[in-house]
Amino acid sequence: MSDVNDHAPQDAVKANSAADNPIEGLGAARTRGDGKVKVTGEARYAVEHQPENPLYGVVIQSTVASGRISRMSTDKAQQASGVVAVYTHLNSLKINKPTAIADGGAAQSTYTPIQDDVIIHNGQNIGLVVAETFEQATYAASLVEIEYETSPALIFATDEGVEPKPVSKQDINMGDAQAAMQQAEVRLSQRYTTPREYNMPMEPHACVAQWQDGRITVWEPSQWVAGAQVEIAEWLGIEVEDVRIISPYVGGGFGSKPVPYTHVALASVASRALNRPIKVSLTRPQTFTGLGGRAATSQQLELGASRDGKIQAIIQRSFSETSLIDEFAENCSKVTARMYAVENVSTQHQIRPINTVTPGWMRAPGENPSAFGLEVAMDEMAYALNIDPLELRLRNWADKDYQLDLPWSSRRLKEAYQKGAEAFGWDQRIMTPRSMREGRELIGWGMASGTYPVNKLPAEAKIILTPQGKFVVQCGGADIGTGTYTILAQTAADILGVASGTIEVQLGDTELPRTGVAGGSQLAGNVTAAVDDTAKRMRDQLLKLASELAQSPLKGTPASQLTLKGDGVQHTQHSNLAVSFAQLASLAPSESLTVKGGTFPDDMSESERDKMVRNLNDGTRPEKFSAHSWSAHFVEVRVDEDFGTIRVKRMVAALDSGRLYNPKLARSQWIGGMIMGVGQALMEEGIIDPRNGRVINNNLADYLVPVNGDIPDITTINVGEPDFEATTMGGKPVGELGIVGVAAAISNAVFHATGKRVRDLPITLDKII
Ligand code: MCN
Ligand code: MOS
């Protein structure tokens, strides 16, 4: 193992300090390049873009869950001061139905607002008031009179009248699960549920749409500018090339900003109709229904095992809610057949349409609820068999992917178990619940594991050498707070031999080279590979120029004897024979100073490339191997015996994400996921009013997410090693890995502390006293 792998990230920071490695290439724990502009407020987020003469749009949302608008009067609103237009179904601006992601498009939801009077969920976007100021638009929106003719709504997935639909494509049938279950000596069957959860990035969903001369530019926080471009083009019925998306900074997305939602459709058509730029910002409450969030899930999970702890069969029947118009599946079986050596597995997942906004992605969609069920069930089985929960996992070690019958590309999960347990002190655990305490605090130790698959898509990049001799790296991909800016500078620095801090990176714009989504934890792998290729082409180009340009001091020296070093090209033997990049830039024809590269097959046409980055179905996974990231979580909770309050006291995680492009940022991602897992375990729950399908706690005072005081010391241990079977650059997913399994580890710890098994998230105190 390398130094970095041997040490906790804190040590890795020192090992890679600037003094040791001024280039700070891949693997260096470099601080975020975009950090300063973000904390000083210099970075402009989408809605902070100030166009000339802007208008402000405020969205109107329905207040019933089902039915139709029987009467609407916009007269008063239209007469209010500053109001320019009120768009509703009464004077409908045409919005075309976009193609759903599943059908090769980019729409999370195919709902098109203001086309008719039909209401399918509470908080549905049904109008846009446009005024000269935000305040005027907000006031005018309150003057719109709406009456509804309501019809009975389906509020919960378990309501009578809900018609489940199978998603059989995703079902797993391995061996003979029913027969193996019958023969199993020990059987357990329980239901595990997760509620509606919301992404809640700091930056709410807000855009600026500017129609001009038959084209539209939209400043939109985006995890996927190519997708936003397609969806907006479809809504407007214009060419994809006539849409530009600009999204250099994103204040978090967590899966909620892969594509624009209907407020962006409203902003776009209104800007075209009025021929002026429009800003539309959802209020925090509006973000709860203006877009999805994680669908509520429910899974019945049956495990059968032998007395000595071999899991012989798993049967899972699960469902998740979706809207009446779109088929979004939060598939609970994503990790079910993957974690352990089980030959007989049967899973079936259903979607259940109800009157809700179409749910969407939220950090590790599928893997997250799947791991919650399976990893709590494993803990229950450990207690049924009286085997230590970690030991039970080792007894069921999967030496290959049983689901795909493929070898792992790498799986350092045993190392994760071992190092995590060691750092946590797991061997000191007393198995019996309620047997560890300090004063009136019950102490609970729980563990669980997690995983996330490697996804891949080709990408393009461009590198420019400026007249000043500096490099600019361009790529269409996003940095949603993850560190893309930083790791791309590091990637280029390695090849170009310059300090990564001197490289400028430009991201998040459809005018920049083609790149897919910052989703499925794949962007880092996709774009580092593209920039690595491009930087190598730039290097070759610079060596060639140095050796061939008439006025180059190195003219005539074969490129094979030249190297990039010290901000220029040098002779490998004689470092005094050199030409600086700035000098080369002044000597070379300017078109030779821009180099394009990437990972698309050379012979792939432009239109095929476009298609690949504009849909989410062309991604690939490694073929000969099953490639995943892995994690082991160890958690200590303290439960106040009298009050039932639960605090997470310690968290230790050991994780395998392959090669880390930047250990500091990878740790930051991991702990970010773990913190989100604490929220999921103990706080987060969209509470839906059974009378009208309204989200009651639609703000950050009532929809709780962890704050500083909720979060204990977190230790992360990197056990990964470069995995070049998984990805070109050897890294595996980081962004979503951290959350998977955390809620299970906390639930298991709460059981250990209290003897109460909580299978329904979040674990609030009413469930344990
Ligand atoms: N990284 C690394 N070594 C690797 C892989 C990644 O050091 N082998 C680090 C890099 O700093 C990289 C980051 O981890 O920029 C994330 O890389 P990756 O796992 O490829 O994930 P993506 O770049 O595709 O980002 C999306 C991912 C997802 S899908 C969600 S959801 C999520 C997440 O990232 N949303 C986030 N992390 C988030 N972090 C922030 N701050 N905000 C969000 O909205
Ligand atoms: Mo992440 S939920 O794949 O954007």
Side-chain angles (χ1 to χ4, degrees), residues 124-192:
Q124 176 179 326
N125 291 353
I126 54 170
L128 186 75
V129 177
V130 183
E132 294 293 340
T133 71
F134 174 67
E135 291 74 14
Q136 287 169 333
T138 304
Y139 175 63
S142 75
L143 301 178
V144 176
E145 295 166 9
I146 311 169
E147 285 167 25
Y148 302 93
E149 190 182 294
T150 58
S151 52
L154 301 166
I155 308 290
F156 301 105
T158 46
D159 282 358
E160 213 175 294
V162 172
E163 288 173 23
K165 292 185 197 165
V167 255
S168 29
K169 254 197 334 217
Q170 299 172 345
D171 291 347
I172 301 167
N173 281 300
M174 291 160 55
D176 187 340
Q178 306 292 348
M181 191 63 77
Q182 287 310 311
Q183 283 155 23
E185 289 167 315
V186 181
R187 289 195 287 267
L188 275 181
S189 181
Q190 294 292 352
R191 180 165 292 281
Y192 304 88

Side-chain angles (χ1 to χ4, degrees), residues 18-38:
D20 301 336
N21 181 8
I23 287 179
E24 290 192 292
L26 285 182
R30 195 179 162 228
T31 296
R32 285 259 292 277
D34 55 332
K36 193 172 163 207
V37 291
K38 282 190 165 171

Side-chain angles (χ1 to χ4, degrees), residues 387-594:
I387 298 174
D388 175 86
L390 176 54
E391 171 60 25
L392 180 66
R393 286 169 172 83
L394 291 169
R395 286 192 199 176
N396 291 283
W397 176 256
D399 51 2
K400 62 168 185 181
D401 182 333
Y402 277 69
Q403 191 178 337
L404 298 177
D405 195 20
L406 282 178
W408 304 115
S409 64
S410 60
R411 193 189 202 224
R412 297 181 57 79
L413 181 57
K414 262 190 198 160
E415 290 79 358
Y417 286 144
Q418 189 212 328
K419 297 221 164 186
E422 217 172 83
F424 187 84
W426 186 257
D427 61 349
Q428 299 299 306
R429 181 175 183 270
I430 303 163
M431 177 97 177
T432 314
R434 299 183 72 90
S435 56
M436 293 168 69
R437 68 158 67 223
E438 191 180 309
R440 54 170 219 217
E441 276 187 339
L442 298 166
I443 298 175
W445 288 6
M447 60 93 44
S449 28
T451 183
Y452 198 83
V454 171
N455 297 300
K456 297 212 274 195
L457 194 79
E460 288 175 350
K462 197 190 268 185
I463 300 183
I464 301 160
L465 179 62
T466 68
Q468 294 73 34
K470 299 283 182 227
F471 293 103
V472 177
V473 174
Q474 295 183 332
C475 167
D479 187 328
I480 57 176
T482 40
T484 319
Y485 280 109
T486 315
I487 58 171
L488 292 191
Q490 293 179 264
T491 308
D494 268 338
I495 308 298
L496 300 172
V498 298
S500 54
T502 67
I503 297 176
E504 182 184 339
V505 180
Q506 297 173 352
L507 297 172
D509 190 330
T510 45
E511 306 274 280
L512 298 175
R514 291 183 187 88
T515 314
V517 66
S521 301
Q522 60 177 306
L523 188 76
N526 293 342
V527 292
T528 50
V531 168
D532 180 67
D533 175 81
T534 312
K536 285 172 177 158
R537 290 172 196 247
M538 177 53 104
R539 178 187 62 195
D540 294 347
Q541 171 83 336
L542 294 171
L543 297 177
K544 186 164 178 276
L545 289 170
S547 116
E548 290 177 8
L549 282 176
Q551 287 160 302
S552 165
L554 294 165
K555 169 142 173 63
T557 313
S560 59
Q561 287 173 28
L562 299 176
T563 183
L564 303 196
K565 214 175 168 185
D567 290 322
V569 182
Q570 281 182 13
H571 195 289
T572 43
Q573 255 97 61
H574 317 283
S575 59
N576 54 334
L577 282 179
V579 54
S580 74
F581 292 136
Q583 227 179 327
L584 264 189
S586 71
L587 298 175
S590 66
E591 67 278 7
S592 66
L593 300 175
T594 294

